[in-house]
Amino acid sequence: ELVAKFAGYGFNKSHAAAYAMVAYQTAYLKANHPVEFFAASMTLDKGNTEKLSGFRQELDRQGIPLLPPDINRSGVDFTVDHDADGTDAIRYALSAIRNVGEKAMELVVAERAANGPFKDLFDFAGRVDPRSINKRMLEGLTRAGAFDGLNPNRAQVLEGIEVLLRYANRSADERAFHQAAHRRGRVQGPARQRGDHQRQGDRRGGRQLHVPGRLRVPRRAAHGGPHQARLLRRRGGRGARVARR
């Protein structure tokens, strides 16, 4: 009877030795590199809110700061960062935010690494692929504080999410138009340079429309640039009216 009971959950010596080695390595990392250890452990369980809550309590007990998510500083996973005092801390993972997908955050982090930090909300919307973002994702990022570095007024950002999504779609259409026109040889050098200068001016915030109590909308987001107008005119409908204006 004892042999049968032991067979239900028994370890041979080689198995027990391997477990002992892993336990020793884990204890060493936790004791000597606690920030890196907890960042890796939280990444492994980033989809389990109960375990993340337990890790947060352990971080508080050990005095390790847990920094909020930041669209310009957070990674896809939990990472080691530094707080304002230079103390080692853990930066919250973007993919661990509710209603935010890991693949979408990989694209966002890749865009940030390739072309630098996002300057404002419209710079973010204009650079990301609109197919990878949606309203629920932007709401989740806003409520978690990921956009606080770009606009600390979360209520204002939540109200302007629809505007950001429309801007993202228009920016993607404009990029597709330029790419297609360039392949066909229809974009001349000087004209293209003028369009680039105009887009740079829009990004600097020089030409903006201000709606009281709402996000400041770049002019190209409200009316579209000249190339966007031509694109809409070819499609008919509202674009024709925009072009005539």
Side-chain angles (χ1 to χ4, degrees), residues 11 15 23 37 73 93-94 111 162 167 171 174 185 210 212 235:
F11 295 92
H15 195 86
F37 172 80
R73 302 196 65 175
L94 292 175
E111 168 61 29
E162 294 291 347
Y167 183 77
S171 297
E174 187 171 320
H210 177 59
R235 294 177 178 173

Side-chain angles (χ1 to χ4, degrees), residues 193-213:
Q193 291 176 4
R194 287 196 298 273
D196 291 341
H197 291 324
Q198 180 178 359
R199 287 194 299 276
Q200 291 173 4
D202 291 342
R203 289 187 184 131
R204 294 191 191 103
R207 300 175 59 191
Q208 292 181 331
L209 300 177
H210 177 59
V211 182

Side-chain angles (χ1 to χ4, degrees), residues 4-217:
K5 183 178 180 179
F6 174 79
Y9 194 72
F11 295 92
N12 55 36
K13 289 183 178 180
S14 63
H15 195 86
Y19 262 95
M21 180 62 70
V22 172
Y24 173 79
Q25 293 172 342
T26 302
Y28 176 85
L29 291 174
K30 184 176 180 180
N32 295 277
H33 305 281
V35 179
E36 292 81 358
F37 172 80
F38 281 110
S41 299
M42 296 174 75
T43 296
L44 290 175
D45 292 312
K46 61 184 176 181
N48 190 325
T49 55
E50 292 184 3
K51 287 191 174 183
L52 288 180
S53 178
F55 281 125
R56 179 173 294 183
Q57 295 176 4
E58 182 66 16
L59 291 177
D60 292 339
R61 189 181 69 81
Q62 295 199 22
I64 299 176
L66 179 61
L67 304 178
D70 188 324
I71 199 67
N72 274 331
R73 302 196 65 175
S74 292
V76 179
D77 300 324
F78 289 88
T79 56
V80 177
D81 203 341
H82 305 283
D83 61 8
D85 299 330
T87 305
D88 288 344
I90 296 176
R91 177 70 65 175
Y92 205 88
L94 292 175
S95 61
I97 300 173
R98 188 176 180 180
N99 297 327
V100 175
E102 183 171 354
K103 292 296 183 182
M105 293 301 99
E106 288 178 354
L107 295 175
V108 169
V109 172
E111 168 61 29
R112 187 185 69 198
N115 299 305
F118 302 106
K119 300 178 180 63
D120 51 46
L121 288 170
F122 286 101
D123 183 49
F124 168 81
R127 287 165 55 183
V128 299
D129 187 346
R131 296 171 297 182
S132 65
I133 61 175
N134 55 51
K135 184 176 180 179
R136 290 184 63 190
M137 190 191 82
L138 294 182
E139 288 176 345
L141 290 170
T142 302
R143 292 192 173 99
F147 291 136
D148 285 359
L150 303 180
N151 187 338
N153 191 334
R154 297 185 185 180
Q156 187 183 70
V157 177
L158 288 172
E159 184 181 357
I161 284 178
E162 294 291 347
V163 177
L164 292 174
L165 290 173
R166 289 197 297 269
Y167 183 77
N169 287 316
R170 288 193 177 187
S171 297
D173 288 343
E174 187 171 320
R175 287 195 299 269
F177 173 81
H178 281 298
Q179 292 172 1
H182 181 71
R183 285 194 297 267
R184 293 192 299 265
R186 295 182 180 178
V187 177
Q188 302 298 325
R192 187 178 184 185
Q193 291 176 4
R194 287 196 298 273
D196 291 341
H197 291 324
Q198 180 178 359
R199 287 194 299 276
Q200 291 173 4
D202 291 342
R203 289 187 184 131
R204 294 191 191 103
R207 300 175 59 191
Q208 292 181 331
L209 300 177
H210 177 59
V211 182
R214 299 181 181 179
L215 293 175
R216 295 180 64 85
V217 185

